[in-house]
Amino acid sequence: MTDRLEDFQKIREDLNEEILACGHLGIKRFFALDHQAYELGALGTKTKELLGLVASGVLRCDDCITYHLVRSAEEGWNRNEVIDALNVVLIVGGSITIPHVRRAFARMREIEGLKPSSNAG
Amino acid sequence: MTDRLEDFQKIREDLNEEILACGHLGIKRFFALDHQAYELGALGTKTKELLGLVASGVLRCDDCITYHLVRSAEEGWNRNEVIDALNVVLIVGGSITIPHVRRAFARMREIEGLKPSSNAG
Amino acid sequence: MTDRLEDFQKIREDLNEEILACGHLGIKRFFALDHQAYELGALGTKTKELLGLVASGVLRCDDCITYHLVRSAEEGWNRNEVIDALNVVLIVGGSITIPHVRRAFARMREIEGLKPSSNAG
Amino acid sequence: MTDRLEDFQKIREDLNEEILACGHLGIKRFFALDHQAYELGALGTKTKELLGLVASGVLRCDDCITYHLVRSAEEGWNRNEVIDALNVVLIVGGSITIPHVRRAFARMREIEGLKPSSNAG
Amino acid sequence: MTDRLEDFQKIREDLNEEILACGHLGIKRFFALDHQAYELGALGTKTKELLGLVASGVLRCDDCITYHLVRSAEEGWNRNEVIDALNVVLIVGGSITIPHVRRAFARMREIEGLKPSSNAG
Amino acid sequence: MTDRLEDFQKIREDLNEEILACGHLGIKRFFALDHQAYELGALGTKTKELLGLVASGVLRCDDCITYHLVRSAEEGWNRNEVIDALNVVLIVGGSITIPHVRRAFARMREIEGLKPSSNAG
């Protein structure tokens, strides 16, 4: 994982734009539904982002983990809370998730609020 | 899914007992770690149960979903909140999770606090 | 798999109804999108049903396989064509899909157009 | 899992027969390759059965686990060795495999050489 | 995904050659069976390639998706048809497949017949 | 997979260190349990490494495969035996594992005892 967060986000945005402009209504609607799933409902946005992070973790999708790490920090989860969620990933998903947890730790180095020193008292 | 919650829980407990008594220290320790993953840490128990439910949902494990539905109700999540979490399962995991979401709805009929009428105002 | 197709369909319909009536707009919309994904688009409905069958097969979801077997027969695929699609499932997904392929063969006994004698010349 | 081993084996054999008689050469060849994968090669049959068991465990296929438990016992693996292999399943695959490990323990009660008392000195 | 299609294909061919020359008959036979699964049978080659694409998509294998995109174009599927198949991937597999769908769109830029302007009237 | 084994190992070690120093007791304990799962028990360490390799293969985790290839060579498994285990991966997991088997072959070029000429008599 030598790509920087910034590069990941640029490529992601660029391709999302191409996909949304491709003219397929079903895909467009699914992207909208995906977005809405994390908006305020019976559950709050903050809780939902952590659900998204754990779902991405156990399904072992690095790009999805990166996305939800960034959003989780924006919603106010701190480093220790995110690490506690990654422990749930590890226990539910087993050692096969370790490489993804490793990359999550590497990614957190780039995210304000989740950096290694973030919870240092 | 014709088994009743009560039967599921009896078989589960019975087999867990046999496993824990089998003499394998690694398995015993993993079961303990699994239990501790949902105890109060940087995150609270209530939040963690919902993480467990969503992880179980996207990984499509009916028994795990049943277990976390029961625990989520005990922790105070109501029917609408659980359904909002199941929507995250559906969006992240896709239509392949629908049969499991269906069985989750069937199971909720048996769980105090998650029954169909639970959120009726 | 001792359940009869008829029973499966009744339980499925009953629970789908409960889910659609639960009041969660996101879930309702996803169910609609799921339905629309198999309607005529750039690809025809007949082709799409076979895509759904193979996707269900490699993801190892018996209920989904049953649903798409029924729909594939309705769209006019015959037994030998469905079996050829199940071979793709087997090759892509490996021997871990064999129990699901076995249950697919058992289910085909109940589906007009896919029964064992269907392609007998 | 209320089905007895005997019933499982009868249904399995019956459906395998139907599949092999269906006239699809590719499926027939894959079944043969699957069989040969566990025959003596650079690795011995005994080792390979345990590989099959662990692969089935982490991929969470109860029928496959049952099949390889029976074969592992026939090849001479004892209860404690099989349990040690199930621990690898648990650690690699995480708590999501626990229901399958539970059912593996239930199944071992029916298999000569793997029954609870088998390693009692 | 900074690798170009050409590079992917060279590395793929090079390693396939090494594997086929390694002397393991089972692997050699499986590669042959894999090849044959997409040849004319009860289903035509064109249909089968799309089945392979969707199977690769829901199982989230970028290399497999690339391979079947190239083959699908060769068989005559156009950009809009392939996008309609990717929508099935998205609906069945959920948002966890989005990064793979993104990479599929990136890859299509390199494939004659699937490029962004391909269906422009 | 352009990264060299040496680079992979350095990054892995570096991140493991950060994870173990992060202060989460549950994660620390899981890493210890993971380590212990491959130590001498009812099964020997040599056998267990091959179980780990096959589990990693069918779950399609390149980093895990690399780790267990290195350890399998250290435990004395030779190239032909490892290839025979990879055949089990291929048969159980299907063609979707081929890209990972390819990368396993590429990785073996860097591992003493598993290099292409290793079994040349």
Side-chain angles (χ1 to χ4, degrees), chain D residues 6 11 14-15 17-18 32 39 43 51 55 61 66 92 105 117:
Chain D
E6 212 178 318
I11 294 174
D14 175 39
L15 282 165
E17 211 170 297
E18 182 176 326
E39 289 181 335
L43 295 171
L51 297 179
C61 172
T66 286
V92 176
F105 269 81
S117 57

Side-chain angles (χ1 to χ4, degrees), chain A residues 2 16 22 34 38 43 51-53 68 75 77 90 96 115:
Chain A
T2 54
N16 276 2
C22 84
D34 178 31
Y38 301 96
L43 296 171
L51 297 180
L53 176 64
H68 287 293
E75 290 295 327
W77 293 109
L90 211 53
I96 208 76
K115 292 181 181 177

Side-chain angles (χ1 to χ4, degrees), chain A residues 1-2 60 79-80 83-84 86-87 90-91 94-103 105-106 109 116, chain F residues 8 11-16 18-19 22 24 26-27 30-31 34 38 55-56 59-64:
Chain A
M1 198 170 68
T2 54
R60 301 163 46 206
R79 179 174 168 86
N80 282 346
I83 287 175
D84 209 15
L86 292 176
N87 180 53
L90 211 53
I91 294 300
S95 71
I96 208 76
T97 68
I98 288 182
H100 303 274
V101 169
R102 266 200 291 268
R103 287 189 281 268
F105 269 82
R109 293 171 179 170
Chain F
F8 163 76
I11 294 173
R12 181 180 173 278
E13 215 159 312
D14 176 39
L15 282 165
N16 276 1
E18 182 176 325
I19 293 173
C22 84
H24 195 292
I27 293 181
F30 183 77
F31 270 63
D34 178 31
Y38 301 96
S56 303
L59 289 175
R60 299 161 49 202
C61 172
D62 289 329
D63 285 8
C64 313

